[in-house]
Amino acid sequence: MDANGTTERVLRLLSLLQRRPSWTAAELAATLGVTERCVRRDVERLRSLGYPVLARVGVGGGYRLGAGTKLPPLLLDDEEAIATAVSLRLATGGTVVGAEDAALRAMTKLHQVMPPRLRSEVRTLHEATALLPGPVAAIDADTLMTIARACRDQVRVRFAYRDRNGTPSPRTVEPVRMVTTGRRWYLLAFDLDRDDWRTFRLDRMAEVVASTFRSTPREHPDPVAHVHRSVSSWPVVAEARIRLDASADHVRALVPVEVGRVGPDPEHPDDPGRCLLVAGVEDPDWLALHLARLGVRAEILGPEEVRAAVARLGARISAMVGVGG
């Protein structure tokens, strides 16, 4: 076989090793249409290129792609390449400070090695898509990685934290899991000073240091559910209850978890076309604006402050229409 054929076969072998955790030599040979001896030679070629292909002999043995000391070239199929390019573009406008430039560099490298047909597909997707800047809370990449490693290693973390009023306080916690809504990052952790589970926003942390003290093994709440409850029930002036003529899934896609909780309507629990939004906000006028943009019929069950805010918004819009007419 010529050099081009050998190269193509080695790339196919690499693709197979990336697709599954383990392959026997017989499986690889049958899939590639070659002998097991040829598979062994191609494995050695991959190793010479820096790919850590591990082999285990005996019954149940085979080949698998291990972790190396450096990152070798990756082999992506068409769908993976397009998905990676799109994800990198989103990361260029993300919430992690310092990751934008790295994402842009990676996206540039990927575009350089893409075949023209894929480059055209990605360009078409980018040109047909616009990024809408939103109210995201940026965090430092070092903070993110320090917290992530502490969760992995199960060690305590110390940091200075600003509460919702901007008041600073030192915290020592045992972190469990980070949760992101796309707009903000949160940490579920056991607060040692308060002897209870707490939710912390990463963008309000400073001077984050991981200690060498191990976390105490303890049962913890579900991170996603706990953070959802925490961020949708901050202390507020009023808690609003709104019945919406739309499915719960539809409303959840429009309402950030920081705004409120969406669930079945207690008075119509079997009606999939209705749901109940329980939202806590400091500013009823802000909630009125958010309800208006949902584009569905809403019934304000309470409190009166929210009803009044909706009435004020309606009057202002009516006045604007009157002036325009």
Side-chain angles (χ1 to χ4, degrees):
M1 180 176 291
D2 59 21
N4 289 337
T6 301
T7 300
E8 181 180 353
R9 191 183 64 244
V10 171
L11 290 176
R12 287 184 60 203
L13 173 60
L14 176 59
S15 178
L16 293 174
L17 291 172
Q18 291 177 334
R19 193 177 304 169
R20 262 174 43 182
S22 179
W23 292 80
T24 65
E27 289 174 330
L28 290 172
T31 303
L32 295 171
V34 297
T35 64
E36 293 186 27
R37 181 180 179 183
C38 185
V39 169
R40 289 193 291 271
R41 286 201 303 266
D42 289 346
V43 165
E44 289 303 320
R45 291 189 178 98
L46 285 177
R47 288 170 175 163
S48 68
L49 294 173
Y51 292 93
V53 183
L54 307 180
R56 186 172 61 182
V57 298
V59 178
Y63 294 103
R64 67 182 180 88
L65 198 59
T69 57
K70 62 180 181 179
L71 183 66
L74 296 177
L75 184 65
L76 304 176
D77 61 29
D78 289 4
E79 291 183 354
E80 292 169 340
I82 292 175
T84 301
V86 173
S87 299
L88 287 171
R89 181 171 186 254
L90 294 176
T92 60
T95 61
V96 182
V97 176
E100 301 94 332
D101 290 343
L104 183 59
R105 291 196 305 271
M107 186 169 64
T108 301
K109 292 178 181 178
L110 183 61
H111 279 210
Q112 287 175 341
V113 299
M114 270 187 174
R117 56 185 174 79
L118 286 187
R119 194 179 302 130
S120 175
E121 293 289 332
V122 172
R123 185 183 302 112
T124 298
L125 185 58
H126 285 179
E127 291 175 351
T129 308
L131 295 179
L132 177 64
V136 298
I139 61 172
D140 182 72
D142 290 338
T143 294
L144 186 66
M145 289 310 304
T146 298
I147 296 295
R149 294 189 188 103
C151 291
R152 178 197 64 191
D153 300 336
Q154 298 181 352
V155 295
R156 296 178 182 179
V157 174
R158 300 188 305 273
F159 53 87
Y161 192 70
R162 293 178 293 102
D163 64 17
R164 60 196 304 271
N165 297 317
T167 304
S169 62
R171 301 295 182 98
T172 301
V173 305
E174 296 181 345
V176 172
R177 185 71 55 82
M178 291 188 295
V179 177
T180 178
T181 66
R183 298 171 65 237
R184 294 190 177 99
W185 288 76
Y186 298 89
L187 171 68
L188 170 66
F190 190 82
D191 192 320
L192 294 174
D193 296 322
R194 289 152 182 79
D195 194 33
D196 198 6
W197 294 102
R198 290 289 189 270
T199 296
F200 301 95
R201 275 176 47 175
L202 267 66
D203 59 295
R204 292 178 176 171
M205 295 180 181
E207 303 171 13
V208 181
V209 177
S211 74
T212 57
F213 291 97
R214 302 281 296 180
S215 298
T216 303
R218 54 168 61 87
E219 291 292 328
H220 61 78
D222 176 78
V224 173
H226 186 87
V227 169
H228 188 185
R229 287 194 300 269
S230 298
V231 302
S232 59
S233 59
W234 300 111
V236 292
V237 172
E239 186 174 74
R241 295 170 60 84
I242 304 103
R243 178 179 292 127
L244 300 169
D245 287 353
S247 69
D249 289 341
H250 177 76
V251 175
R252 287 192 189 101
L254 299 174
V255 177
V257 295
E258 297 94 336
V259 173
R261 303 184 301 274
V262 181
D265 181 359
E267 295 188 10
H268 306 276
D270 299 324
D271 187 348
R274 291 187 179 183
C275 65
L276 186 71
L277 169 64
V278 179
V281 293
E282 298 181 39
D283 185 358
D285 289 310
W286 181 89
L287 178 59
L289 285 170
H290 200 84
L291 292 174
R293 65 175 291 273
L294 294 181
V296 301
R297 182 181 179 277
E299 179 185 356
I300 311 299
L301 303 180
E304 186 57 38
E305 293 92 334
V306 177
R307 289 197 189 94
V310 171
R312 287 194 298 271
L313 177 61
R316 288 197 295 267
I317 293 176
S318 296
M320 292 168 62
V321 172
V323 172

